[in-house]
Amino acid sequence: MFDFLIKNATVLDGSGGERFTADIAVKDGKIAAMGDISDSAARTIDAAGLCVSPGFIDIHSHTDSILFVDGFAESKITQGVTTELCGNCGFSAAPCLDESGRAELESWRRKNGIEDDWHSLGEMLSALEKRPIAVNFATLAGHANLRSAVVGLVEREASPYEIERMRMLLRAAMEQGAFGLSSGLIYPPSCYADTSELTELAKVIADFGGFYSTHMRDEGDDLIEAVEEAISVGRGSGVGVQISHHKACGRPNWGRVKTTLAMIDECRQSGMDISVDQYPYIASATSLSAMLPQWAFDGGDDALLDRIRNRRRELLEFLSSNTSGECNKDEWKNVLISSVCSENNRACEGMSIEDIAMRRGSRPEEVVLDLLAQEHLGVSMVHFSQCEEDVETVMRSGFAMVGSDASARRISGRLSQGKPHPRAFGTFSRILGRYVRERGVIGLETAVQKMTSAPARKMGLMDRGLLKDGNWADMVVFDPNEISDAATYENPHQISRGIRFVFVNGRPAVEDGVMTGEMAGQVLRFPGAVK
């Protein structure tokens, strides 16, 4: 007897091939059979009129240590995500080896009442394995973690000795289960690394078969040069490359993704493993401090706060004239404050910098510095800097995957605070609803492939991402005529529509769009890792 039997399903197996009708049987967490099945099961689900696909794999997630606080990952699991790859943009939950990283971890533990402690990536994964989680969790090793542990938070070139030490730490992280290395080249201290440092570190990953994921050095005026650097790291190290949340920021740069996609396609034609991911929105989201120049971060947060107080004129001049980077400034009305730490500025959440400036009788540039100082840098923003045509252009490319670039959230409790980017709740359902059904940008089979087998192959997951006998039963049952995102910028904490069931390792985590309380997620380690 099977545990579950899904009957009469329209199957999208994740391969990109044409849909077909079949029954799917689940036993002991895995797909036991597919086809015309007459055997009995403990529970049978009639999926007539519904689609069944592999569980979606969020290849660019920032949930990281949040699963220690709340293992349900509600915003992800309710849109069909069954596996998250965290540790992106250069920051991972581990290793935590330097004084700054240890202090930040200790502060977070006290704030959330977490007893678990760790130094290495392996210790963090082992601690998470002891907790019930609703999704499968995998992680990259963050370059910022490595550099801060060896070089510190200072703006300078790493010595050959320091690069070798970082290589040793990265090798240990890979042995303990990391899927590769990530960099965040607009954020300190990763932004202080040169191409040769990144290449030398990426060579370590080549020994394991992992990949290099990069938030590039620029997504605005110097977008093409940034893509060239990512390609250079891949060629110089021999590893696969994943360009994170590919886009062109700032009106003068709109349309340049056609050039960058052509560059990437040329590399692929020559045999290079390089691909991109994207979220289906025209707004980005990050820390408000990302608008400041790199030199201001030299020495860490305390040094930055000191410069905001004592070098205010220089920073105001920079903010007035800067038009480069991910956070290039077109109009201050397009920069919204999504979250703050204190109640003093809570009213700013959801407001634009322009509106806050008018209310305070200040210049927008002054508002940026004032908020960062008042909130001790704990300010996040949403920035409308992209165009719809570019989103669709990237989506149509044959090597673009889907990543939310978001951490898991809840519709209530501590993870429901602020006005975060709606991508946390709506990325995958938005593509299937808006871009597949309503706009016809890509076909349903193609969209599912971008969310399932494509990221599984990139990660080296051989038993997930496809519906076939013997694979883990990570599955989504959805209504193709109803699936859509409900989250908005004004009200981002809203569950997606049209999701009927979500299975994680053969157990139903969602039924009729509501979480069941099942916590069947697994901690995934890179194949060949030594636990």
Side-chain angles (χ1 to χ4, degrees), residues 479-516:
D479 186 338
N481 299 313
E482 183 183 348
I483 192 167
S484 60
D485 59 314
T488 64
Y489 294 98
E490 296 75 23
N491 188 6
H493 299 92
Q494 297 193 76
I495 300 299
S496 295
R497 308 181 186 95
I499 300 289
R500 294 290 181 262
F501 289 84
V502 178
F503 287 85
V504 180
N505 297 312
R507 290 162 58 183
V510 172
E511 293 191 24
D512 292 324
V514 178
M515 297 187 70
T516 64

Short mmCIF file of all heavy atoms in Angstrom, two decimals, residues 479-516:
data_model
loop_
_atom_site.label_atom_id
_atom_site.label_comp_id
_atom_site.label_asym_id
_atom_site.label_seq_id
_atom_site.Cartn_x
_atom_site.Cartn_y
_atom_site.Cartn_z
N ASP A 479 -3.48 24.80 -9.24
CA ASP A 479 -4.49 25.07 -10.26
C ASP A 479 -3.89 26.06 -11.25
O ASP A 479 -3.65 27.22 -10.91
CB ASP A 479 -5.74 25.66 -9.61
CG ASP A 479 -6.89 25.83 -10.60
OD1 ASP A 479 -6.63 25.91 -11.81
OD2 ASP A 479 -8.05 25.93 -10.14
N PRO A 480 -3.62 25.66 -12.49
CA PRO A 480 -2.96 26.56 -13.45
C PRO A 480 -3.84 27.76 -13.81
O PRO A 480 -3.32 28.77 -14.29
CB PRO A 480 -2.71 25.66 -14.66
CG PRO A 480 -3.76 24.61 -14.57
CD PRO A 480 -3.96 24.36 -13.10
N ASN A 481 -5.14 27.65 -13.60
CA ASN A 481 -6.05 28.75 -13.92
C ASN A 481 -6.21 29.74 -12.77
O ASN A 481 -6.82 30.80 -12.95
CB ASN A 481 -7.43 28.19 -14.30
CG ASN A 481 -7.37 27.31 -15.53
OD1 ASN A 481 -6.75 27.67 -16.53
ND2 ASN A 481 -7.98 26.14 -15.45
N GLU A 482 -5.68 29.38 -11.62
CA GLU A 482 -5.87 30.23 -10.44
C GLU A 482 -4.57 30.72 -9.82
O GLU A 482 -4.53 31.77 -9.18
CB GLU A 482 -6.67 29.47 -9.37
CG GLU A 482 -7.00 30.28 -8.13
CD GLU A 482 -7.72 29.46 -7.07
OE1 GLU A 482 -8.17 28.35 -7.38
OE2 GLU A 482 -7.81 29.95 -5.93
N ILE A 483 -3.50 29.98 -10.01
CA ILE A 483 -2.27 30.32 -9.30
C ILE A 483 -1.84 31.75 -9.60
O ILE A 483 -1.80 32.19 -10.75
CB ILE A 483 -1.15 29.32 -9.64
CG1 ILE A 483 0.03 29.52 -8.67
CG2 ILE A 483 -0.72 29.39 -11.10
CD1 ILE A 483 1.04 28.39 -8.71
N SER A 484 -1.54 32.49 -8.54
CA SER A 484 -1.14 33.89 -8.68
C SER A 484 -0.59 34.37 -7.35
O SER A 484 -0.82 33.77 -6.30
CB SER A 484 -2.32 34.77 -9.11
OG SER A 484 -3.36 34.70 -8.14
N ASP A 485 0.14 35.46 -7.42
CA ASP A 485 0.66 36.07 -6.20
C ASP A 485 -0.36 37.05 -5.65
O ASP A 485 -1.07 37.72 -6.41
CB ASP A 485 1.98 36.79 -6.49
CG ASP A 485 1.84 37.89 -7.54
OD1 ASP A 485 1.19 37.62 -8.58
OD2 ASP A 485 2.37 38.99 -7.33
N ALA A 486 -0.41 37.15 -4.34
CA ALA A 486 -1.31 38.10 -3.67
C ALA A 486 -0.53 39.22 -2.99
O ALA A 486 -1.08 40.28 -2.70
CB ALA A 486 -2.18 37.38 -2.64
N ALA A 487 0.76 38.99 -2.73
CA ALA A 487 1.57 39.96 -2.01
C ALA A 487 1.79 41.22 -2.84
O ALA A 487 2.04 41.14 -4.05
CB ALA A 487 2.92 39.33 -1.65
N THR A 488 1.70 42.37 -2.20
CA THR A 488 1.93 43.65 -2.85
C THR A 488 2.96 44.44 -2.04
O THR A 488 3.30 44.08 -0.92
CB THR A 488 0.63 44.47 -2.93
OG1 THR A 488 0.18 44.78 -1.60
CG2 THR A 488 -0.46 43.69 -3.66
N TYR A 489 3.44 45.53 -2.60
CA TYR A 489 4.38 46.38 -1.86
C TYR A 489 3.70 47.02 -0.66
O TYR A 489 4.32 47.23 0.38
CB TYR A 489 4.95 47.45 -2.79
CG TYR A 489 5.81 46.88 -3.89
CD1 TYR A 489 5.29 46.68 -5.17
CD2 TYR A 489 7.13 46.53 -3.65
CE1 TYR A 489 6.08 46.15 -6.18
CE2 TYR A 489 7.92 46.00 -4.66
CZ TYR A 489 7.39 45.81 -5.92
OH TYR A 489 8.17 45.27 -6.92
N GLU A 490 2.41 47.30 -0.80
CA GLU A 490 1.68 47.91 0.31
C GLU A 490 1.32 46.89 1.38
O GLU A 490 1.32 47.20 2.57
CB GLU A 490 0.38 48.57 -0.21
CG GLU A 490 0.59 49.73 -1.16
CD GLU A 490 1.03 49.30 -2.55
OE1 GLU A 490 0.77 48.14 -2.93
OE2 GLU A 490 1.66 50.12 -3.26
N ASN A 491 1.02 45.66 0.95
CA ASN A 491 0.64 44.60 1.88
C ASN A 491 1.35 43.31 1.47
O ASN A 491 0.77 42.44 0.82
CB ASN A 491 -0.88 44.39 1.86
CG ASN A 491 -1.33 43.43 2.94
OD1 ASN A 491 -0.55 42.99 3.79
ND2 ASN A 491 -2.62 43.10 2.94
N PRO A 492 2.63 43.18 1.82
CA PRO A 492 3.43 42.06 1.31
C PRO A 492 3.20 40.73 1.99
O PRO A 492 3.56 39.70 1.44
CB PRO A 492 4.87 42.54 1.54
CG PRO A 492 4.77 43.46 2.72
CD PRO A 492 3.44 44.15 2.59
N HIS A 493 2.61 40.71 3.17
CA HIS A 493 2.45 39.46 3.91
C HIS A 493 1.13 38.78 3.53
O HIS A 493 0.18 38.70 4.32
CB HIS A 493 2.49 39.72 5.41
CG HIS A 493 3.79 40.31 5.87
ND1 HIS A 493 4.00 41.67 5.97
CD2 HIS A 493 4.95 39.73 6.24
CE1 HIS A 493 5.24 41.90 6.39
NE2 HIS A 493 5.83 40.75 6.55
N GLN A 494 1.08 38.27 2.30
CA GLN A 494 -0.13 37.61 1.81
C GLN A 494 0.24 36.32 1.09
O GLN A 494 1.16 36.28 0.27
CB GLN A 494 -0.89 38.54 0.85
CG GLN A 494 -1.41 39.81 1.51
CD GLN A 494 -2.41 40.51 0.63
OE1 GLN A 494 -3.57 40.11 0.50
NE2 GLN A 494 -1.98 41.60 -0.01
N ILE A 495 -0.53 35.28 1.38
CA ILE A 495 -0.29 33.95 0.83
C ILE A 495 -0.73 33.88 -0.63
O ILE A 495 -1.75 34.45 -1.02
CB ILE A 495 -1.08 32.90 1.65
CG1 ILE A 495 -0.61 32.91 3.11
CG2 ILE A 495 -0.90 31.50 1.06
CD1 ILE A 495 0.83 32.58 3.31
N SER A 496 0.04 33.17 -1.44
CA SER A 496 -0.30 33.00 -2.86
C SER A 496 -1.59 32.19 -3.03
O SER A 496 -1.97 31.40 -2.17
CB SER A 496 0.85 32.29 -3.58
OG SER A 496 2.00 33.09 -3.60
N ARG A 497 -2.22 32.40 -4.17
CA ARG A 497 -3.45 31.69 -4.49
C ARG A 497 -3.17 30.52 -5.43
O ARG A 497 -2.20 30.53 -6.19
CB ARG A 497 -4.45 32.63 -5.16
CG ARG A 497 -4.71 33.93 -4.42
CD ARG A 497 -5.75 34.77 -5.17
NE ARG A 497 -5.93 36.09 -4.57
CZ ARG A 497 -5.32 37.19 -4.97
NH1 ARG A 497 -4.45 37.11 -5.99
NH2 ARG A 497 -5.53 38.35 -4.39
N GLY A 498 -4.03 29.53 -5.40
CA GLY A 498 -3.99 28.45 -6.37
C GLY A 498 -3.13 27.26 -6.00
O GLY A 498 -3.09 26.27 -6.74
N ILE A 499 -2.43 27.30 -4.88
CA ILE A 499 -1.64 26.16 -4.43
C ILE A 499 -2.56 25.22 -3.65
O ILE A 499 -3.15 25.61 -2.64
CB ILE A 499 -0.47 26.61 -3.52
CG1 ILE A 499 0.46 27.55 -4.27
CG2 ILE A 499 0.28 25.40 -2.98
CD1 ILE A 499 1.29 26.89 -5.34
N ARG A 500 -2.68 24.00 -4.11
CA ARG A 500 -3.54 23.03 -3.44
C ARG A 500 -2.77 22.19 -2.42
O ARG A 500 -3.15 22.09 -1.26
CB ARG A 500 -4.22 22.13 -4.48
CG ARG A 500 -5.18 22.86 -5.39
CD ARG A 500 -6.43 23.30 -4.62
NE ARG A 500 -7.37 23.98 -5.51
CZ ARG A 500 -7.48 25.30 -5.61
NH1 ARG A 500 -6.68 26.07 -4.89
NH2 ARG A 500 -8.35 25.84 -6.43
N PHE A 501 -1.70 21.56 -2.88
CA PHE A 501 -0.89 20.73 -1.99
C PHE A 501 0.59 21.02 -2.23
O PHE A 501 1.00 21.31 -3.35
CB PHE A 501 -1.12 19.23 -2.24
CG PHE A 501 -2.46 18.72 -1.80
CD1 PHE A 501 -3.57 18.84 -2.64
CD2 PHE A 501 -2.63 18.10 -0.56
CE1 PHE A 501 -4.81 18.37 -2.26
CE2 PHE A 501 -3.86 17.62 -0.17
CZ PHE A 501 -4.96 17.76 -1.01
N VAL A 502 1.37 20.93 -1.18
CA VAL A 502 2.82 20.94 -1.30
C VAL A 502 3.35 19.77 -0.47
O VAL A 502 3.05 19.68 0.73
CB VAL A 502 3.45 22.26 -0.79
CG1 VAL A 502 4.97 22.19 -0.89
CG2 VAL A 502 2.92 23.44 -1.58
N PHE A 503 4.08 18.88 -1.12
CA PHE A 503 4.69 17.73 -0.45
C PHE A 503 6.18 17.98 -0.30
O PHE A 503 6.86 18.37 -1.25
CB PHE A 503 4.47 16.45 -1.24
CG PHE A 503 3.06 15.91 -1.19
CD1 PHE A 503 2.09 16.39 -2.08
CD2 PHE A 503 2.71 14.93 -0.29
CE1 PHE A 503 0.80 15.90 -2.05
CE2 PHE A 503 1.42 14.42 -0.25
CZ PHE A 503 0.46 14.91 -1.12
N VAL A 504 6.70 17.73 0.89
CA VAL A 504 8.13 17.80 1.13
C VAL A 504 8.58 16.43 1.64
O VAL A 504 8.10 15.96 2.68
CB VAL A 504 8.48 18.89 2.16
CG1 VAL A 504 9.99 18.93 2.40
CG2 VAL A 504 7.98 20.24 1.70
N ASN A 505 9.43 15.79 0.86
CA ASN A 505 9.90 14.45 1.20
C ASN A 505 8.74 13.51 1.52
O ASN A 505 8.77 12.72 2.47
CB ASN A 505 10.87 14.52 2.38
CG ASN A 505 12.12 15.31 2.03
OD1 ASN A 505 12.73 15.09 0.98
ND2 ASN A 505 12.49 16.25 2.90
N GLY A 506 7.70 13.62 0.68
CA GLY A 506 6.58 12.69 0.75
C GLY A 506 5.52 13.00 1.79
O GLY A 506 4.57 12.23 1.94
N ARG A 507 5.65 14.12 2.49
CA ARG A 507 4.65 14.48 3.50
C ARG A 507 4.00 15.81 3.15
O ARG A 507 4.67 16.74 2.69
CB ARG A 507 5.31 14.54 4.88
CG ARG A 507 5.71 13.16 5.39
CD ARG A 507 6.72 13.22 6.52
NE ARG A 507 6.27 14.00 7.66
CZ ARG A 507 7.02 14.23 8.74
NH1 ARG A 507 8.25 13.74 8.81
NH2 ARG A 507 6.53 14.94 9.75
N PRO A 508 2.68 15.93 3.35
CA PRO A 508 1.97 17.14 2.92
C PRO A 508 2.20 18.31 3.86
O PRO A 508 1.69 18.34 4.98
CB PRO A 508 0.50 16.70 2.92
CG PRO A 508 0.43 15.60 3.95
CD PRO A 508 1.75 14.91 3.89
N ALA A 509 2.95 19.31 3.40
CA ALA A 509 3.20 20.50 4.21
C ALA A 509 2.12 21.55 4.03
O ALA A 509 1.91 22.39 4.89
CB ALA A 509 4.55 21.10 3.83
N VAL A 510 1.41 21.47 2.88
CA VAL A 510 0.33 22.42 2.58
C VAL A 510 -0.85 21.65 2.00
O VAL A 510 -0.67 20.76 1.16
CB VAL A 510 0.79 23.49 1.56
CG1 VAL A 510 -0.38 24.35 1.10
CG2 VAL A 510 1.89 24.36 2.14
N GLU A 511 -2.01 21.98 2.48
CA GLU A 511 -3.25 21.44 1.92
C GLU A 511 -4.20 22.60 1.70
O GLU A 511 -4.47 23.37 2.62
CB GLU A 511 -3.89 20.40 2.84
CG GLU A 511 -3.07 19.12 2.98
CD GLU A 511 -3.86 18.01 3.68
OE1 GLU A 511 -5.11 18.07 3.64
OE2 GLU A 511 -3.23 17.10 4.24
N ASP A 512 -4.70 22.73 0.47
CA ASP A 512 -5.60 23.82 0.10
C ASP A 512 -5.04 25.18 0.50
O ASP A 512 -5.75 26.06 0.98
CB ASP A 512 -6.99 23.62 0.73
CG ASP A 512 -7.71 22.42 0.12
OD1 ASP A 512 -7.56 22.21 -1.09
OD2 ASP A 512 -8.39 21.70 0.86
N GLY A 513 -3.75 25.34 0.28
CA GLY A 513 -3.10 26.61 0.54
C GLY A 513 -2.80 26.90 1.99
O GLY A 513 -2.27 27.97 2.30
N VAL A 514 -3.10 25.97 2.87
CA VAL A 514 -2.89 26.18 4.31
C VAL A 514 -1.85 25.21 4.80
O VAL A 514 -1.88 24.01 4.47
CB VAL A 514 -4.21 25.97 5.08
CG1 VAL A 514 -3.98 26.16 6.59
CG2 VAL A 514 -5.28 26.95 4.59
N MET A 515 -0.93 25.69 5.62
CA MET A 515 0.11 24.82 6.15
C MET A 515 -0.48 23.80 7.12
O MET A 515 -1.36 24.11 7.92
CB MET A 515 1.18 25.65 6.85
CG MET A 515 1.92 26.59 5.91
SD MET A 515 3.32 27.41 6.67
CE MET A 515 4.47 26.05 6.85
N THR A 516 0.01 22.58 7.03
CA THR A 516 -0.50 21.50 7.86
C THR A 516 0.24 21.36 9.18
O THR A 516 -0.25 20.69 10.09
CB THR A 516 -0.38 20.15 7.12
OG1 THR A 516 1.02 19.87 6.91
CG2 THR A 516 -1.09 20.21 5.77
#
